Amino acid sequence: MIKDELTPEDILDRAKSISTITEKPEALRRCRLLLSHLENNPLVLNGKIDLGNVEFLSVLKRPAEHPKELPWAGENVSERFLSPNQLWVASLKNLLGLVKPIVDERTVPLSDNIQAKLKLKNTPTVDDVAGQLYLICNAQLDLNEKQNAMYVQAVMREAYAYLQNEAEKNPSALLSVQERLHDQPFILVGTNLLKPQQVAFEWSTALPPYLYELPLELRTLYQDFFQLMGVKQKFDYRDYMVVLQGIQKQYDKKRLGEKLCNVVVTLVRLLAVEMKTKLLSTDDVEKDCGSIMLLDNAGLMQPRSLLCFNDCPWVPDDSSFLYVSTKIDYHTASVFGVRTKKRENILRIAEGFKIPFGQREKLTSRIKRILEGYNEEDEILKEMLQNADDAGATEIAFINDCRHLEGDHLLDDNWRMIQGPALCVYNNAPFQQSDIVGIQNLGEGSKAKDVYKMGRYGVGFNVVYKVTDVPTFLTKGDEIGECLCALDPHSAYLTGASPDTTGIMLRVNDTVKETYSDMFKCYLHERFQQQGSTMFRLPLRTREMAQKSKISHTESTSQDVTQMFQIFEKQMLDILLFVNNVKKIRLIQIPESEEQAEEYSVTVSISPEDEINKTMFVQHVQNTSRDLRQKSLKIEDIETRSVSYTVKLEDSRGVSETWLVFQRIGFESDVQIPDAVKDAFLAGELAMLPLAGCAVQLPSFTAKEKNVAMRSRKLYCFLPLPGNTDLPIHINGQFILDHEARRRLEDGGGFRKAWNMTLIEYVVAPCYLVLLNRVKSITEENIQLLRNKCNANSVGLSTDVKSYIANFTALFPSPGYSAESFWRTMSTSVYRLAKSSCLPLLPILQTELGKSEVNWHDPTSCYFRISLSNQNTPSQSSFQLLENILLDIGFSITACPDQVYEGFVEAGVEVNTVTPLAVINFLHSATEVLDLPQKIEKTSLMSAERLGVLIEYCKLEDKFLEMIHETPLLLTNDGILRRFSSEHPVYITEFMDLVPENQELFLHQSFIALFTQAICLDSCAMFLKFTPADLADKIESVLTKELYYNKKKVPYNEEFGGWLKRLWIFLRQFAHDDEKCNTDDLYRPLENWCLLPVLQASGDGKMESYLYQVSQATKVLDLNVGTTPVDISQKIVTALKTLHVPELYVKQTYNDIDVIPEKDIPQVLCANLSRADYVLKALSEAFDDGVLNTDCATEEMCNDILVYFSQNIIALEIDDDSDEMLRNLPLHLTIGKELVSIADSDAYIISSHSKVLQMDLSWMDCCDVVFISKQDHKLIDLYNFLDCPEMDAVDLYLKYIIPHFQRLTIEGKFQHMEYIKDKIWKECILSTGERSFRLQETLRNLQFLPKKDGKWYPTSHFYDPKQPVLKTMLEEERFPPHPYNTEDWLTCLRNIGLRTTITCDMYLKFAKEIADEAESDNYSEETEEKSVMLVTYLFNKILTSHDYSADNLVGLLSAIKDIRFLLPGLPNEELHDLIPAHGQKNWSRKKHIYLL
């Protein structure tokens, strides 16, 4: 018998025989045959045989590409064949080929499965791999040879991959590898084998042959392995130092070549960057790594401490200088502490003219805190002016130097900062030695003990740090000579500056000026006299300086200085009023382009006589100050003395002003000085003088300057302080200011605040009152001069007099300051002094008959204007008009403004004012002035506007309405002014135009708002409310009763369009205002009048307008009242308009007003979209009357209407006839796209999205029902209400489509069957029940499958083409035609009758056909395939299936046993070659054989 397998014993015998064959080709052939058999029969190796020690596998010899310098383990094996236990799998040849023998898979291919079953070695150790790497590292390979490089790269990649995998699993397993390869070049980068110390994961610089970056592939794939082997993430300073020191050691004192010099320079730059990044000093690096070696200018390596940087070639050379290489830039050299030539030179030449100088306090934080108190942008200029005045300077100039000056001849690079834009300040007074000392003591200047000096070079000088971090100045005088000084609080900018000496001072001589000429150009010696003067240069803080500054992070620019000048310029006309010495101030702009400088200046002058008086007063003050310091005088004993003088200010633009200044020192004898102040003087804590003054600008008599332009008035402490006092005059005093900023009064409590309060109350206030009295005298003189010059009755005279009076009264202090403020104290003190002194300071202006008379009164003898402090008072414009009205009707008022009155009140001084009650009482008695009734234009009130102003003011009286009886304040709408009377009340309404013939019955329309509230008061009998009933009584004066009364409708008359709109607005407003009003009561007085505008289509479709009787409103649709959502509402409106439904003509009511349907008239009367039941009735009536325009109806329109009714179904359910009306309307869309009524038919709903509607609908012709298309899911409720059920697809097919299937077209039949297959069948097959069964049976009998004969057949007529035997043995026409032969169709057809099984008779027939074919000339491979298929079906299906009865099976087997339809087989040729069969050499096919 033929067999296809070898026994285990056969295999073992064949394996052992291989090594005994002397001829290698034959041995290899047998080996291949054996292994091929094992490949095909791997189960024979499952424990039945052990070939592990049988030497029958070939050993891999050295590959041709293997470098000759490297060993190969296979060369050390003497035997041709080795056992599986001695060999390694071929996949490891690159990983272990140097150290382990590898199976020769090229000669004898082995699958992974066989290699595993033969147990070939496949698990290398890390030591094996490390050993192979070690051999490569020490083989002296020439990797520039391409073949060597490619081979080594492949071997290395496999080793790296293996070791990376081991590192991920168990890092500790690589300890032995670390030990063996630590100092070996096992990392392949390009054609170089490198040690771990030479490679980093990240490094962008290439420095062969010293340092490299690990390639992207290696660091991505093998990161863990290389990290364990010591490869760094990045190189650090230690690596750079090792290379630098290695180069220095290698070359010692030899000059380096150009290429190596570039390498050294690169390493030095990298080292510098590393040190800066890690904040390492040179000491840190040298302590860790030894001396830092740099390259000198001769190309030699030198210690960095011996080198310097040549930054100033113009300074003479010194032979002792050893320069760093020019390849190394300054910024890099500075990291290593390499000094500059300038610095070295300064350190050598400074002795003799540089002395330690600077503010010797801890500065930056203190200065920063001080600057927080300076909020004004021009503080610097004021402080410098103050210091110059204290120094005795008579002139000061501020210069905005925008230039960037060129030049390198500077003391060192740090001085280059003064070359840029700067703020310069010049004054014609030099520094004294005391000033040098004072400027170094922050907060304690040289004038600290001289209370009469304003602030010379003390705390205030530090305001310069707002714009600079390094202030400098050049001064030249007899006492200290010429010095250049600079301050450096940061100790960061000046050579030689330190925390102890934060600045330097250089003694200047000609040699210094010549050597550093560029530096001294900055001090503008060509523009200003230097002898006996001081020039400050404040270099503006740059952005870079600001980022590092500990004082301010704000950059300063020339634009900032320009802005500072602009602010200061506005104050220059005021700033010299109280200074002692400075007579001129200049502002100079030097542009960057060095064009001609721009200058603005202000000078001050006083008369010689006033100068003498002022000088005597100043001398008295100085003597008093001296006596106080010497304690020979007490504060309360200071002699009271004052001075008054006139100051003239002029600027370079031609502006000239005159000011009156009054100053005073000392307290009156009756003043009680606070004990805290006295104690502070005795303790030496207070040394201030009771010195104060005021200044007011005087108007000129010339017309041009008659009205003084008011600038903001300031508070002075010799110079103006920031902010405004809101006072009309300048106030000066020796106040105690905030200790740090000194820019506001000290109000923190204690003796300091007490001193300021005392000075204001007892010195400033008396000065103020004296100044007012003197200005009053000047005003009187000016008015008299004006009278002498002008005609006494001139109209212009009155205006000019008022102007003078206004200018004077504006000088009174304004009230309203907080109770604890200094100016509240001053204001109340002035007003109390005005009363107690009984000075006649208040003007009364009378202008009767064109004359202007001014009389002066004290505060207790006149009345003041209306107060504007109450929020209910009139506006400013109305206030002025009211004053004129009161004056015109004979009411006298003082000319003082409210602020004067309020000032007296605030001070507790009682005065008289005009009140609404006083005016009302005056009007009751004003019969002679107002003779009524008459046209208002003929009365002294002159106009309705003026009357309104008067009424508004009188209404401020709470009992105004109770008091208006008989007051001449009633203006009726006919323009007649009358007296109010309860016997003749008037209507209050804005709709008086509805009855145009009776205007005397209505209050004038201008006053409705003023008296509206009176209607609500039952006690006020002067007014009536206008109602619809009142209108109905008077409407015949407008409409003709015969035309508009008791008519159903009349044509619309455009003549009454405006009146009609006003009518409906009136009714709407009345309904809104009167919430208790019933709708019926509202329109019943007018219900029989034709007043409702309606649009209605005529027979030809043209829209015409009518007026319907109000009682017919419910038959009209108001389409302007919508529903929600808005889009549905708009669609309904469009639909109803298209159908020509009678609608409200809204444009003739109030179309621009938002409508409230529940309340508005006529909306509440008409049908609208919020009343669906009314809308349905209106539509039904229109349809019944034949006026509904259904010809224009569209599907979408009808759908919108039905959706609207569906959304309002609850409203429709109220009426029992709603369903009949809805069914009767021709608004229902069938699936055939017709709009029909469903009143007389059964109706079913079919979804408009159903695919059925897209196919042949000819089946509908035989149906007697209506199929409605469900266009919108929102119609579900509506058709439920109409009892129209929705029919699903299954019922539709069972009841209507399938019974009429033969009426369909061929294409229609296919489309419907496709839909049944894809949709209906899939849904139905998942369910059980009668419908599923009915559908299945119906489809079984349905003849829908066509054949070539043109007839239609049921599914049971065809066989399943997917059954292989049937497909092979039957003709094509026995299967379903295309496309019914696709898989998705066949799945369905199998369930409705498609034949899928082979009967016994069919099988017998098929067997006979094969036997006959085998005996005939038609025998082919296809015959053999049929035979195999039929036999397979017999054993796999027929004999195992329960579908065949036992009798049928017996009969079948009996019938086929004698039929020759079986195919014989042949033996395995490969096994025959390995083990030949006995007595047989060749096999051939025979004819088919019997089954049994």
Side-chain angles (χ1 to χ4, degrees), residues 10-36 38 51 54-58 80-82 108 1474:
D10 293 335
I11 293 173
L12 181 59
D13 176 72
R14 294 296 91 190
K16 289 179 179 180
S17 69
I18 292 172
S19 60
T20 62
I21 300 175
T22 57
E23 295 180 6
K24 185 175 181 180
E26 178 61 24
L28 290 176
R29 190 180 72 84
R30 181 166 295 184
C31 181
R32 281 195 296 271
L33 289 174
L34 178 61
L35 291 175
S36 176
L38 293 176
L51 300 177
V54 178
E55 295 180 347
F56 71 97
L57 297 177
S58 178
R80 294 179 300 161
F81 297 92
L82 293 179
V108 184
L1474 185 62

Side-chain angles (χ1 to χ4, degrees), residues 1151-1404:
N1151 57 305
D1152 294 331
I1153 301 176
D1154 293 335
V1155 173
I1156 305 175
E1158 299 82 7
K1159 192 170 185 179
D1160 281 348
I1161 304 297
Q1163 278 71 21
V1164 74
L1165 306 176
C1166 299
N1168 56 61
L1169 295 184
S1170 64
R1171 301 285 301 274
D1173 50 341
Y1174 281 20
V1175 174
L1176 178 58
K1177 289 178 181 178
L1179 274 172
S1180 182
E1181 290 182 11
F1183 178 67
D1184 292 341
D1185 294 341
V1187 298
L1188 200 65
N1189 185 19
T1190 56
D1191 294 338
C1192 296
T1194 65
E1195 297 176 10
E1196 182 180 3
M1197 182 189 306
C1198 294
N1199 182 73
D1200 292 338
I1201 294 175
L1202 294 178
V1203 168
Y1204 161 71
F1205 285 128
S1206 182
Q1207 292 174 337
N1208 295 274
I1209 202 69
I1210 296 177
L1212 302 182
E1213 291 174 345
I1214 299 174
D1215 191 340
D1216 293 338
D1217 296 329
S1218 293
D1219 56 343
E1220 293 183 10
M1221 287 188 285
L1222 270 174
R1223 293 179 71 95
N1224 191 45
L1225 292 174
L1227 304 177
H1228 307 279
L1229 180 67
T1230 69
I1231 63 177
K1233 302 299 182 180
E1234 294 183 85
L1235 293 171
V1236 300
S1237 167
I1238 57 173
D1240 302 321
S1241 304
D1242 290 334
Y1244 295 96
I1245 309 302
I1246 304 297
S1247 173
S1248 62
H1249 301 294
S1250 175
K1251 195 173 180 181
V1252 175
L1253 304 186
Q1254 303 172 15
M1255 296 181 281
D1256 189 349
L1257 298 178
S1258 55
W1259 54 270
M1260 288 177 52
D1261 299 338
C1262 300
C1263 300
D1264 58 354
V1265 297
V1266 177
F1267 294 101
I1268 298 174
S1269 175
K1270 186 180 72 173
Q1271 301 280 5
D1272 199 320
H1273 69 280
K1274 298 175 183 176
L1275 296 178
I1276 294 175
D1277 292 340
L1278 177 72
Y1279 283 113
N1280 287 339
F1281 175 68
L1282 297 180
D1283 196 21
C1284 297
E1286 184 169 358
M1287 179 174 286
D1288 64 10
V1290 175
D1291 285 342
L1292 183 63
Y1293 272 95
L1294 287 174
K1295 294 180 180 179
Y1296 297 103
I1297 299 178
I1298 293 178
H1300 304 98
F1301 193 80
Q1302 300 309 320
R1303 295 182 61 85
L1304 302 178
T1305 64
I1306 295 176
E1307 183 180 359
K1309 292 177 180 179
F1310 177 74
Q1311 289 175 343
H1312 280 283
M1313 289 308 301
E1314 276 274 325
Y1315 183 69
I1316 291 173
K1317 179 258 297 182
D1318 293 337
K1319 181 71 175 175
I1320 306 300
W1321 175 257
K1322 288 182 179 179
E1323 292 180 357
C1324 194
I1325 199 66
L1326 297 176
S1327 63
T1328 58
E1330 182 184 354
R1331 285 211 314 167
S1332 175
F1333 176 76
R1334 285 176 56 203
L1335 179 64
Q1336 190 169 10
E1337 289 303 311
T1338 301
L1339 293 176
R1340 283 180 185 275
N1341 298 320
L1342 181 62
Q1343 296 179 352
F1344 68 92
L1345 293 174
K1347 288 186 69 173
K1348 292 181 180 180
D1349 59 5
K1351 297 181 180 180
W1352 299 82
Y1353 296 88
T1355 311
S1356 58
H1357 184 74
F1358 298 94
Y1359 291 90
D1360 190 347
K1362 297 300 181 179
Q1363 214 297 322
V1365 176
L1366 295 175
K1367 182 63 176 177
T1368 303
M1369 303 303 297
L1370 293 177
E1371 298 84 358
E1372 188 64 29
E1373 67 175 6
R1374 301 304 303 274
F1375 304 108
H1378 182 78
Y1380 298 98
N1381 56 359
T1382 58
E1383 185 56 41
D1384 58 337
W1385 265 110
L1386 293 173
T1387 301
C1388 178
L1389 297 180
R1390 290 183 188 115
N1391 287 279
I1392 57 174
L1394 185 67
R1395 298 185 179 187
T1396 59
T1397 59
I1398 301 173
T1399 64
C1400 291
D1401 292 338
M1402 291 175 68
Y1403 191 90
L1404 180 60

Side-chain angles (χ1 to χ4, degrees), residues 58-63 72 74-75 93 102-106:
S58 178
V59 179
L60 181 64
K61 299 304 180 182
R62 174 190 290 268
W72 182 257
E75 291 180 335
K93 69 175 182 178
I102 306 298
V103 67
D104 186 2
E105 190 181 37
R106 294 179 297 181

Side-chain angles (χ1 to χ4, degrees), residues 77-329:
V77 179
S78 58
E79 293 82 359
R80 294 179 300 161
F81 297 92
L82 293 179
S83 66
N85 293 340
Q86 296 173 299
L87 291 174
W88 293 75
V89 295
S91 60
L92 299 178
K93 69 175 182 178
N94 285 343
L95 190 64
L96 298 176
L98 278 69
V99 294
K100 299 294 181 181
I102 306 298
V103 67
D104 186 2
E105 190 181 37
R106 294 179 297 181
T107 305
V108 184
L110 292 172
S111 68
D112 292 341
N113 185 32
I114 293 302
Q115 290 188 45
K117 289 185 178 295
L118 292 176
K119 299 181 181 178
L120 288 170
K121 294 184 178 182
N122 62 358
T123 307
T125 66
V126 294
D127 291 334
D128 293 336
V129 178
Q132 176 155 310
L133 286 177
Y134 184 84
L135 291 175
I136 296 173
C137 294
N138 293 277
Q140 301 299 318
L141 287 170
D142 181 9
L143 295 183
N144 290 318
E145 186 178 335
K146 184 176 181 181
Q147 183 172 336
N148 286 353
M150 293 178 62
Y151 182 82
V152 170
Q153 184 180 35
V155 171
M156 287 294 196
R157 290 294 190 271
E158 290 204 24
Y160 297 158
Y162 170 78
L163 294 172
Q164 167 68 20
N165 185 52
E166 293 299 315
E168 292 175 355
K169 293 190 295 185
N170 183 16
S172 61
L174 269 66
L175 293 176
S176 61
V177 180
Q178 293 174 339
E179 219 173 286
R180 187 166 189 180
L181 300 179
H182 171 67
D183 202 35
Q184 296 296 319
F186 66 89
I187 302 177
L188 180 63
V189 177
T191 58
N192 301 290
L193 286 171
L194 305 173
K195 297 179 181 180
Q197 299 85 347
Q198 294 178 267
V199 184
F201 281 102
E202 298 177 18
W203 202 51
S204 59
T205 306
L207 281 182
Y210 300 104
L211 300 175
Y212 295 81
E213 181 183 37
L214 193 65
L216 177 62
E217 179 186 3
L218 299 186
R219 65 175 182 262
T220 302
L221 299 178
Y222 318 120
Q223 181 178 3
D224 297 336
F225 166 62
F226 285 121
Q227 283 180 341
L228 287 173
M229 296 307 294
V231 175
K232 293 182 177 180
Q233 188 67 25
K234 294 181 180 180
F235 292 123
D236 60 18
Y237 68 94
R238 297 180 182 86
D239 302 298
Y240 305 142
M241 287 291 292
V242 168
V243 177
L244 285 172
Q245 291 172 349
I247 294 174
Q248 192 275 336
K249 183 177 180 181
Q250 180 180 356
Y251 289 89
D252 196 15
K253 299 298 182 180
K254 299 177 183 178
R255 189 186 303 271
L256 304 185
E258 180 69 18
K259 185 175 181 181
L260 190 54
C261 283
N262 292 335
V263 171
V264 170
V265 170
T266 301
L267 285 168
V268 167
R269 290 173 180 163
L270 292 170
L271 179 59
V273 171
E274 179 79 2
M275 291 173 63
K276 287 195 291 186
T277 302
K278 295 186 176 179
L279 303 178
L280 296 172
S281 67
T282 53
D283 292 339
D284 296 333
V285 175
E286 291 186 335
K287 183 178 179 180
D288 189 15
C289 305
S291 297
I292 297 175
M293 309 302 293
L294 301 179
L295 190 67
D296 70 8
N297 224 15
L300 300 175
M301 299 291 286
Q302 301 283 1
R304 57 96 189 171
S305 57
L306 300 180
L307 301 173
C308 73
F309 189 85
N310 188 0
D311 62 334
C312 52
W314 48 271
V315 174
D317 277 335
D318 188 324
S319 60
S320 63
F321 288 157
L322 186 61
Y323 298 119
V324 71
S325 171
T326 56
K327 293 177 179 289
I328 299 176
D329 61 88

Side-chain angles (χ1 to χ4, degrees), residues 43-57:
L43 296 178
V44 76
L45 295 176
N46 290 348
K48 299 179 181 179
I49 186 172
D50 184 7
L51 300 177
N53 294 317
V54 178
E55 295 180 347
F56 71 97
L57 297 177

